[in-house]
Amino acid sequence: MEQQTITQRKQRVFSAIQPSGVPTLGNYLGAIRNFVAMQEEFECVYSTANLHAITVRQEPAKLRAASHELYAWLLASGLDLEKCIFFHQSMVYAHAELAWVLNCNTQFGELSRMTQFKDKSAKHADNINAGLFTYPALMAADILLYQANFVPIGDDQKQHLELTRDVAERFNNIYGKTFTIPEPYIPKTAARVMNLQDPAQKMSKSDPNQRSFILLTDTPEQIIKKFRSAVTDSDSEVRYAPEKAGIKNLIEIYAACTGKAIPAIEAEFEGKGYGDFKTAVGEAVAALLKPIQEKQKELIADKKYLEECAKANAEKAVRIAKRTMEKVYKKVGLLRF
Ligand code: TRP
């Protein structure tokens, strides 16, 4: 038999996270953990989205620190730089370069329809800058630069990915096939972690009520306390049901942390009160986070090492990005340095 020399290239994934302070349990279970799982199956390219972060006012020193910290959280969570590429968006100039070209191929009307722009401009009425408006074109650049096949994203970014696809298709039609059209990737075990005080809302650290979210830096005592004060219902049965939103959220968190199936969890807490269950959830979360917290602490102590890792990875990213940029500039008729 003929020797098989063609090795199939893995499908490529791109995603990014904004460095906006300490990640929450929602960020971890909903996104970060999934990034880690995907590196086994795909060729993954990840970045911090620090260019996106400056669409709202930032303190420079804090932004720098938050970028290092996020980098350390992702490594501590299990991103393996032998298996994936992970860098800071600002280190690869092509993101900004491609964003400009895509800006010129994105319509004012399309950007005006973005719900995130409408929400954020209402929230930051004193700083409705052009970057906030063209944010989705930069996001499209991130994805298209690496010819990503899949983009793991949450609900709030779906509209931006749709726009990315539209812009890419339009560009391909005008200039000839240039970009891979990316698909959203919805993980099999997508944990959508809700607010502990209002289970109708997504968990978010911008909520003024500190007890409504878990930060990855919370101590076991803080975690257990927050879960013990989580809003549930007047019933007393640990049962997975849509009308029991608070309990449903806690069951999902417990399942995500322990790997137990939902019926098994219901059976485990049959005849027990909410108090026992909430404590168990808090303990499971604390146990899951403990090794990650320890590792992150160790990593963040050595910023030089973190920066070297990011730079080495940015170099790898540049090699991929360069191929796309050369194609794009050529097609558009731009002279290249
Ligand atoms: N806008 C995304 C968010 O705030 C972050 C992001 C930037 C991103 N570029 C991306 C996500 C590209 C996926 C793909 O969550």
Side-chain angles (χ1 to χ4, degrees):
M1 222 168 83
E2 225 177 291
Q3 203 188 327
Q4 184 129 10
T5 47
I6 303 160
T7 49
Q8 189 148 16
R9 197 170 75 74
K10 285 183 181 172
Q11 303 260 67
R12 193 175 285 145
V13 160
F14 181 87
S15 199
I17 307 190
Q18 288 202 40
S20 56
V22 182
T24 66
L25 181 66
N27 300 134
Y28 178 72
L29 293 177
I32 298 172
R33 200 163 74 156
N34 186 45
F35 285 14
V36 175
M38 289 183 93
Q39 62 186 349
E40 306 301 332
E41 196 182 335
F42 300 97
E43 187 187 323
C44 295
V45 182
Y46 299 128
S47 81
T48 64
N50 57 352
L51 296 175
H52 281 97
I54 64 166
T55 56
V56 301
R57 204 87 71 203
Q58 298 283 346
E59 257 181 62
K62 272 195 187 162
L63 177 60
R64 201 174 297 123
S67 303
H68 286 309
E69 278 159 22
L70 180 60
Y71 199 89
W73 279 117
L74 274 108
L75 291 192
S77 300
L79 276 198
D80 179 348
L81 300 178
E82 302 286 317
K83 292 183 183 157
C84 70
I85 300 178
F86 178 40
F87 56 96
H88 297 291
Q89 191 186 23
S90 58
M91 288 182 168
V92 179
Y93 304 152
H95 289 253
E97 289 177 324
L98 183 57
W100 175 252
V101 176
L102 297 181
N103 265 315
C104 298
N105 286 277
T106 305
Q107 298 303 305
F108 185 88
E110 293 179 293
L111 293 170
S112 307
R113 284 194 289 278
M114 296 294 116
T115 56
Q116 188 181 298
F117 171 68
K118 290 186 224 174
D119 294 347
K120 284 201 180 172
S121 46
K123 223 171 113 193
H124 305 276
D126 59 334
N127 182 24
I128 308 177
N129 62 78
L132 193 64
F133 187 61
T134 64
Y135 177 117
L138 175 59
M139 187 163 151
D142 298 342
I143 298 164
L144 300 178
L145 204 45
Y146 300 101
Q147 309 288 354
N149 304 96
F150 296 109
V151 182
I153 41 159
D155 281 343
D156 61 327
Q157 298 298 317
K158 267 192 190 149
Q159 201 186 21
H160 291 162
L161 187 61
E162 267 312 306
L163 181 69
T164 300
R165 290 166 54 87
D166 291 346
V167 170
E169 267 162 18
R170 186 177 317 134
F171 192 99
N172 285 351
N173 285 335
I174 298 171
Y175 297 103
K177 172 97 180 69
T178 310
F179 297 123
T180 303
I181 309 298
E183 309 269 347
Y185 183 88
I186 314 296
K188 289 156 218 136
T189 51
R192 190 159 189 267
V193 180
M194 308 308 279
N195 182 311
L196 298 181
Q197 294 297 316
D198 175 6
Q201 311 281 341
K202 213 174 123 176
M203 180 179 284
S204 161
K205 63 171 166 273
S206 54
D207 192 292
N209 186 344
Q210 300 285 319
R211 288 182 309 169
S212 74
F213 54 83
I214 304 290
L215 293 176
L216 295 192
T217 46
D218 284 349
T219 64
E221 295 71 36
Q222 287 171 316
I223 293 169
I224 291 164
K225 211 167 152 203
K226 286 180 184 181
F227 277 104
R228 288 199 60 90
S229 74
V231 166
T232 49
D233 52 58
S234 55
D235 191 33
S236 64
E237 214 184 333
V238 177
R239 183 167 51 84
Y240 191 82
E243 71 276 10
K244 291 164 69 73
I247 287 294
K248 179 170 172 275
N249 185 37
L250 297 183
I251 292 178
E252 281 177 6
I253 294 172
Y254 191 66
C257 292
T258 60
K260 291 177 184 169
I262 289 165
I265 296 169
E266 289 173 332
E268 184 181 345
F269 293 95
E270 205 184 323
K272 295 189 186 144
Y274 283 173
D276 287 349
F277 177 53
K278 287 174 167 181
T279 304
V281 180
E283 284 170 353
V285 170
L288 180 76
L289 296 186
K290 190 165 178 266
I292 300 170
Q293 293 174 329
E294 286 169 358
K295 185 84 197 153
Q296 200 270 354
K297 223 179 197 168
E298 200 182 299
L299 287 164
I300 200 63
D302 193 351
K303 298 229 172 53
K304 202 164 152 246
Y305 168 75
L306 291 173
E307 206 164 325
E308 271 162 19
C309 289
K311 282 183 186 165
N313 277 255
E315 258 168 43
K316 291 187 195 169
V318 165
R319 282 201 282 276
I320 308 173
K322 203 170 155 234
R323 287 201 288 272
T324 302
M325 281 320 287
E326 272 166 8
K327 245 203 251 181
V328 168
Y329 268 37
K330 197 164 165 199
K331 295 203 175 205
V332 175
L334 295 169
L335 303 174
R336 204 164 161 77
F337 178 64

